[in-house]
Amino acid sequence: MKIHVKFLATIRQIAGVPEIELEIHPGDSVGAALQALQARYGTTFKEATTGTTTGGIPKVRFLVNGRNTDFLEGFETKLEDGDVMVLIPPVAGG
Amino acid sequence: MLGGYVGKMLEVDLDSGELKDLPLDEEMAKMYLGGKGLGLKLVYDEFRADMQPFDPDNLLVFATGPATGEKIPTSGRYHIVCSKSPQTGTVGSGNAGGKWGPYLKFAGYDVVIVRGISKEPVYLEIVDGKARLVPAPELWGMTVYAVTDELVERTGNPKKTSVACIGPGGENLIPFSGIMNDKYRTAGRTGLGAVMGSKKLKAVVVSGSKRVDPANPELLKERVADSMAKIKENPVTGPKGGLHTYGTAILVNILNESGAYPTRNFQEAYFPEADEQSGETLVDKYLTGRGGCWGCPIVCGRRSDVPEGPYSVRDTEGPEYETIFAFGADCGIKELDALIKANHLCDELGLDTISMGGTIACAMELVEKGKIPKEKLHGMNLRFGDVGSMIEAIWRTAYRAGIGADLSLGSRALAEKYGAPEFSMDVKGMELPAYDPRPIQGIGLNYATANRGGDHVYGYTISPEILGLPEKLDPYAVEDKPRWTIILQDLTSAINSSVVCLFSSFALGLPEYAGMLAAVTGFDLDADKLLKLGERVTNLERLMNNKYGLDRNEDILPKRLTEEPVPEGPAKGQISHVPEMIDEYYALRGWVDGKPTEEKLKELEII
């Protein structure tokens, strides 16, 4: 099955494209999709999407169909065919 | 005098032309710090419940704070307050960066209080502690960029000079005109420009180089170093951080993907073409450089250039996220070059971009629903997505030309005039900013209760609800949102009284602010005391609004947002639950029906 992945800000720069279709397996979670992306885009991408910054802020947050996965099941959030997953690095505005 | 303060205020009486130096009251400074708090207190001391926006007694107060112009990061700001806003009927209030605030202090004053109405256009010049009013009929009618260049040139000291002025919008008493400084920085909201215009005061020019000593320089140095380190290591505020790299426009895609990007006058909350006007696209296509306010390590300002095409504009600044939303998705327009042009035009004319865009969006819906008859438009094709009409509407508004006379009323009066008040997306008469409150519960409560009307930066709950800073709150949840909204509103009142930039709060908190302010002033301040001071400021502002007749009846969102679920997109089905949260908000505030109780006012030492 396929999901739609969108990259924002610096993660878009690293990926080199704003969005892709990603083939995943039925039952795959956000964590599994991230691993697939890290395998596809290499070390810099992996570094930019793993762990937290010096101040303890996560390097990436995920939206699935508009919902922050922190309020779903986190990395365990199950994905379904046609889902939209967005990767957001730490940014802010006002 | 106390550290961090010049100790002097300038009182300008435009009726008589008299200028007078007044001492800054130390007790007042301890209670209200500066900026917004001090400005409100000065207004309150001469409060009149029957005040009118263009009454000569409507005070216009330009106030710096103890942080302004010190080595504290992001302290290039000042606050402007007026007794009565022409836009909202509340106390008026706005905040701006650039360099004007620090330069006022370097020129020798903490505060400028303006009263009265001049017989002819004038500008106020303050150079190295000497102030004078200069007749300036020749400047009346000039746009912001032109008059700024002219006045900077007249001082002969451009590097040490800053100009705050109004454009044609303020001169023509447009109720959402702003006061502009350094060309592109705006105290944009509540119509402060119109109040300045009513006084026939075209500009305030400040120039000087006298620094103000802090109370404890060594301690300040230490605490500034600590805060600066936190700002620099933070991924949002750091040298290559999100704000510096992409500016506030980075929010376009985030809010859109969250289903909270208001579209076509808040009829929808998802704009499929949003990426074409995003921060990422701005960087790729139009960004030529970055610029910051005085003393700012974050440097979030955009320099942009549209070299060709129908919306060509050279070497300008911006646009910010709010402006992109207001003229973009809210008007159904995707073309980013046109939004840069619209922003440039508003800065030149001295108009608030949020209210201007929101009013045009309201007009577009009125046209779409057949409420504004075609003959009123004189050929303008004022419909969602029509770029040329959107841009034309801006200058028409500033000069009240044709349909511009109706647009200049603002969305609330415009929608009422055409018999459809439900199409105005405002709170207390001020157009809503760029976050649909239906899928973000805290920001809706903040909009509804903000003393100056539809205002996102009164208590920026977007920070925890969308950005996860300083901690994560579920945007859909209502639990605990009243408490968070109150904390963020009072924190912002303290920040605006200091005066530093709200964006520093992505990296710093009350302990850092209190520590630096204590070192500057010598005041006995800690995190709790500073938050209490912020609460005092919020309550004083509310008290004056109550005396003007506002109460819980004005603490409401447009019905669309509490009764019509989001129709499509990621947040489909969501609705704002402000009516369910408001009583808890009042109870936590110590208010009854939107009014602080006598006990609360005594506890805060307001009365």
Side-chain angles (χ1 to χ4, degrees):
Chain A
M1 64 182 196
K2 279 184 182 171
I3 62 167
H4 199 79
V5 180
K6 297 185 180 183
F7 305 111
L8 302 191
T10 45
I11 297 178
R12 177 183 291 189
Q13 278 184 330
I14 295 166
V17 287
E19 54 191 73
I20 59 164
E21 297 290 329
L22 182 70
E23 188 80 41
I24 60 168
H25 302 295
D28 270 358
S29 63
V30 166
L34 178 62
Q35 280 181 1
L37 292 169
Q38 289 174 339
R40 178 186 293 199
Y41 291 110
T43 314
T44 309
F45 186 94
K46 187 171 183 182
E47 198 174 298
T49 54
T50 305
T52 59
T53 65
T54 324
I57 299 169
K59 286 186 182 171
V60 65
R61 294 182 295 117
F62 304 91
L63 300 179
V64 172
N65 301 329
R67 287 289 278 156
N68 186 331
T69 54
D70 290 328
F71 307 111
L72 300 172
E73 302 297 325
F75 283 117
E76 303 306 317
T77 303
K78 296 289 181 211
L79 295 167
E80 293 180 10
D81 189 44
D83 277 355
V84 178
M85 182 168 117
V86 184
L87 279 71
I88 309 173
V91 289
Chain B
M1 186 57 203
L2 298 161
Y5 294 96
V6 178
K8 224 164 58 170
M9 305 191 293
L10 176 67
E11 185 180 59
V12 180
D13 186 336
L14 292 170
D15 287 333
S16 64
E18 188 185 359
L19 305 181
K20 198 194 294 179
D21 284 357
L22 301 174
L24 180 70
D25 184 308
E26 291 193 11
E27 283 310 305
M28 198 186 283
K30 283 179 184 164
M31 293 284 282
Y32 292 96
L33 268 185
K36 180 178 178 182
L38 187 60
L40 287 173
K41 175 63 174 159
L42 290 164
V43 163
Y44 180 63
D45 285 348
E46 298 189 28
F47 186 82
R48 259 181 39 209
D50 66 344
M51 184 68 72
Q52 298 301 311
F54 303 136
D55 190 310
D57 291 338
N58 188 1
L59 292 188
L60 186 63
V61 182
F62 299 74
T64 67
T68 308
E70 291 288 345
K71 289 181 177 167
I72 293 173
T74 77
S75 61
R77 301 190 75 88
Y78 68 110
H79 206 91
I80 307 175
V81 167
C82 74
S83 315
K84 182 101 171 182
S85 156
Q87 184 178 27
T88 60
T90 66
V91 177
S93 175
N95 189 291
K99 57 188 182 182
W100 194 91
Y103 282 25
L104 173 63
K105 275 174 96 169
F106 302 161
Y109 292 95
D110 295 304
V111 174
V112 177
I113 306 165
V114 182
R115 65 174 76 246
I117 292 176
S118 178
K119 288 187 180 65
E120 63 175 343
V122 291
Y123 71 91
L124 173 66
E125 181 189 84
I126 308 171
V127 178
D128 292 324
K130 289 179 186 160
R132 65 177 183 135
L133 282 170
V134 184
E138 76 283 6
L139 301 183
W140 206 250
M142 285 176 80
T143 59
V144 168
Y145 307 143
V147 79
T148 301
D149 284 342
E150 168 69 21
L151 290 174
V152 165
E153 195 175 312
R154 284 188 192 186
T155 64
N157 190 9
K159 285 191 175 165
K160 300 280 184 188
T161 301
S162 177
V163 174
C165 67
I166 55 170
E171 293 178 7
N172 294 329
L173 309 182
I174 307 303
F176 47 88
S177 53
I179 296 176
M180 313 293 299
N181 60 272
D182 307 301
K183 292 185 181 174
Y184 301 103
R185 304 291 160 175
T186 317
R189 311 227 70 191
T190 71
L192 297 163
V195 175
M196 192 157 156
S198 76
K199 295 182 178 306
K200 294 280 194 292
L201 179 62
K202 180 68 179 176
V204 183
V205 183
V206 291
S207 184
S209 51
K210 193 169 186 298
R211 297 296 181 108
V212 178
D213 293 331
N216 191 334
E218 285 308 309
L219 186 61
L220 179 64
K221 195 174 169 187
E222 191 182 302
R223 289 179 173 170
V224 164
D226 174 61
S227 289
M228 197 64 97
K230 285 177 175 155
I231 287 173
K232 287 189 170 169
E233 76 180 18
N234 185 286
V236 172
T237 56
K240 291 188 176 174
L243 267 172
H244 177 79
T245 307
Y246 294 103
T248 57
I250 194 61
L251 292 180
V252 170
N253 276 329
I254 296 174
L255 270 297
N256 196 50
E257 294 301 334
S258 300
Y261 192 43
T263 298
R264 295 182 186 85
N265 200 33
F266 287 73
Q267 294 182 90
E268 299 142 53
Y270 182 76
F271 190 52
E273 297 90 355
D275 196 32
E276 295 181 42
Q277 55 192 235
S278 66
E280 291 92 334
T281 301
L282 179 60
V283 169
D284 285 348
K285 293 178 78 170
Y286 302 112
L287 188 77
T288 54
R290 298 170 173 87
C293 300
W294 187 94
C296 182
I298 301 172
V299 188
C300 70
R302 309 288 88 183
R303 299 218 168 92
S304 50
D305 187 50
V306 182
E308 57 191 7
Y311 315 115
S312 168
V313 53
R314 307 306 311 261
D315 304 323
T316 185
E317 290 199 8
E320 302 290 338
Y321 169 61
E322 295 294 332
T323 306
I324 292 173
F325 133 79
F327 294 117
D330 207 32
C331 291
I333 287 168
K334 64 181 179 182
E335 291 86 350
L336 183 53
D337 53 353
L339 309 183
I340 294 170
K341 181 82 173 182
N343 181 62
H344 181 86
L345 199 50
C346 281
D347 285 351
E348 183 167 24
L349 297 167
L351 296 173
D352 172 34
T353 57
I354 300 176
S355 285
M356 184 72 259
T359 300
I360 294 171
C362 174
M364 287 174 166
E365 186 173 0
L366 289 165
V367 170
E368 181 182 77
K369 304 277 170 65
K371 301 290 182 184
I372 298 181
K374 208 165 67 173
E375 55 270 26
K376 279 278 181 185
L377 297 171
H378 301 120
M380 263 183 87
N381 194 6
L382 195 61
R383 60 183 172 86
F384 289 114
D386 193 291
V387 183
S389 292
M390 179 273 284
I391 289 175
E392 184 178 340
I394 295 170
W395 70 259
R396 282 191 176 277
T397 299
Y399 293 101
R400 298 183 190 272
I403 190 69
D406 284 347
L407 296 171
S408 74
L409 300 169
S411 68
R412 180 178 278 198
L414 173 74
E416 282 171 358
K417 177 173 179 176
Y418 287 100
E422 68 274 19
F423 294 164
S424 176
M425 297 296 112
D426 76 88
V427 170
K428 301 179 179 71
M430 193 160 86
E431 289 72 15
L432 293 179
Y435 310 88
D436 194 307
R438 288 173 285 194
I440 314 174
Q441 296 303 325
I443 201 67
L445 184 60
N446 170 66
Y447 287 164
T449 56
N451 282 326
R452 69 172 182 173
D455 177 9
H456 59 302
V457 285
Y458 203 86
Y460 192 60
T461 69
I462 297 304
S463 195
E465 292 187 290
I466 295 293
L467 308 170
L469 302 169
E471 57 184 87
K472 299 163 189 160
L473 296 181
D474 184 349
Y476 286 12
V478 296
E479 291 77 22
D480 213 22
K481 292 296 171 65
R483 187 181 71 87
W484 268 97
T485 301
I486 290 167
I487 290 171
L488 290 166
Q489 289 180 339
D490 293 344
L491 167 67
T492 308
S493 286
I495 285 173
N496 288 341
S497 302
S498 296
V499 183
V500 291
C501 178
L502 184 60
F503 288 178
S504 63
S505 69
F506 294 128
L508 307 178
L510 281 162
E512 287 81 14
Y513 294 129
M516 289 188 287
L517 288 165
V520 167
T521 59
F523 294 166
D524 175 24
L525 270 176
D526 60 22
D528 290 342
K529 286 174 183 165
L530 185 59
L531 190 61
K532 198 75 181 170
L533 188 147
E535 185 186 5
R536 181 179 301 126
V537 172
T538 308
N539 276 264
L540 177 64
E541 191 176 26
R542 172 61 58 147
L543 173 64
M544 286 190 271
N545 285 352
N546 294 153
K547 287 173 184 283
Y548 283 140
L550 282 77
D551 56 23
R552 73 177 296 149
N553 293 317
E554 283 73 35
D555 288 344
I556 54 169
L557 294 183
K559 279 186 182 173
R560 170 168 292 165
L561 306 175
T562 53
E563 294 181 5
E564 295 174 23
V566 175
E568 290 296 337
K572 183 176 178 179
Q574 294 299 310
I575 201 153
S576 172
H577 297 291
V578 164
E580 294 156 44
M581 295 185 281
I582 193 92
D583 285 334
E584 184 186 343
Y585 174 93
Y586 288 153
L588 290 170
R589 275 264 181 229
W591 296 358
V592 173
D593 290 335
K595 298 178 178 182
T597 60
E598 192 176 332
E599 292 75 24
K600 174 54 73 176
L601 294 172
K602 282 181 177 164
E603 175 203 316
L604 294 170
E605 301 176 73
I606 290 173
I607 58 172

